[in-house]
Amino acid sequence: QVQLVQSGAEVKKAGASVKVSCKASGYSFTSYGISWVRQAPGQGLEWMGWINTYNRNTNSAQRLQGRVTMITDTATSTAYMELRSLRSDDTAVYYCARHISAGPYYFDYWGQGTLVTVSS
Amino acid sequence: DIQMTQSPSSLSASVGDRVTITCRASQGIRNYLAWYQQKPGKVPKFLIYAASTLQSGVPSRFSGSGSGTDFTLTISSLQPEDVATYYCQKYDSDPLTFGGGTKVEIK
């Protein structure tokens, strides 16, 4: 069965970086895109960006460009999202989500979420 | 970028009521719209794609409609297990923007 298992909770200082992993199993990793979505406490879903796991091309939300990097390790079927220069308003649950195919689409499976807390 | 606006932001209805949630795109997105349900403390769940096609296993009381800029999610007979926040998402092109969400509660 399809599973996306994310790394554990993180506590970071403002200005630091965080790297969240998302290990996929149960399907062909390079046949489906992966998006990253975050949710601040009590807030809605915010799409951060996505990676084409076949050619590793990425596209990120304009407000995060320059701070976010998305990569994959096809050998381990793992996607990574790094967010730099953390601020208090980056405190959120971060999700990875699988696209229904290789391109930019909707998401059929989600990781369990990773809480990132940024303290000043 | 195209903005996605949901209304209302919250609603309260009785069990058995018909509930309608609206999602409006600032520009046309054809039918490239998905709906998700997020129950409190849980991961979002995919409900509908192509504006009106139910994902397998989704109860038939859920339905979606619309095309272009105006879309609706309807729950024909609200059940206690439908308490959740519902989000629309465009996927015609990047960015894959979500609407702000609609919180559905039982009166």
Side-chain angles (χ1 to χ4, degrees), chain A residues 45-61:
Chain A
L45 302 174
E46 178 187 7
W47 178 78
M48 300 177 66
W50 77 284
I51 183 164
N52 182 318
T53 54
Y54 180 75
N55 60 22
R56 295 189 167 105
N57 286 345
T58 63
N59 196 357
S60 58

Side-chain angles (χ1 to χ4, degrees), chain A residues 55-117:
Chain A
N55 60 22
R56 295 189 167 105
N57 286 345
T58 63
N59 196 357
S60 58
Q62 192 166 11
R63 66 188 296 256
L64 294 173
Q65 283 177 5
R67 289 208 298 139
V68 67
T69 299
M70 292 165 287
I71 62 172
T72 58
D73 179 346
T74 54
T76 60
S77 298
T78 303
Y80 298 88
M81 184 283 301
E82 182 180 41
L83 188 61
R84 298 177 294 279
S85 301
L86 289 168
R87 310 186 293 242
S88 57
D89 62 353
D90 292 319
T91 293
V93 175
Y94 289 74
Y95 296 101
C96 60
R98 190 187 83 156
H99 294 199
I100 59 99
S101 73
Y105 283 108
Y106 51 92
F107 318 134
D108 57 357
Y109 289 92
W110 295 64
Q112 83 276 19
T114 296
L115 176 61
V116 175
T117 303

Side-chain angles (χ1 to χ4, degrees), chain B residues 49-70:
Chain B
Y49 65 97
S52 61
T53 304
L54 256 62
Q55 168 70 339
S56 175
V58 174
S60 59
R61 63 181 178 273
F62 289 91
S63 65
S65 65
S67 183
T69 60
D70 295 315

Side-chain angles (χ1 to χ4, degrees), chain B residues 1-77:
Chain B
D1 291 347
I2 297 173
Q3 305 304 312
M4 304 300 293
T5 303
Q6 284 183 237
S7 60
S9 56
S10 65
L11 66 89
S12 181
S14 299
V15 172
D17 281 356
R18 183 182 184 89
V19 168
T20 299
I21 297 167
T22 296
C23 176
R24 177 163 289 172
S26 59
Q27 297 175 42
I29 59 170
R30 293 166 286 175
N31 69 335
Y32 290 93
L33 187 94
W35 289 95
Y36 300 86
Q37 174 194 63
Q38 186 179 32
K39 295 184 178 181
K42 300 296 187 182
V43 175
K45 174 188 173 184
F46 162 51
L47 293 180
I48 288 172
Y49 65 97
S52 61
T53 304
L54 256 62
Q55 168 70 339
S56 175
V58 174
S60 59
R61 63 181 178 273
F62 289 91
S63 65
S65 65
S67 183
T69 60
D70 295 315
F71 303 88
T72 59
L73 172 69
T74 299
I75 308 173
S76 60
S77 176

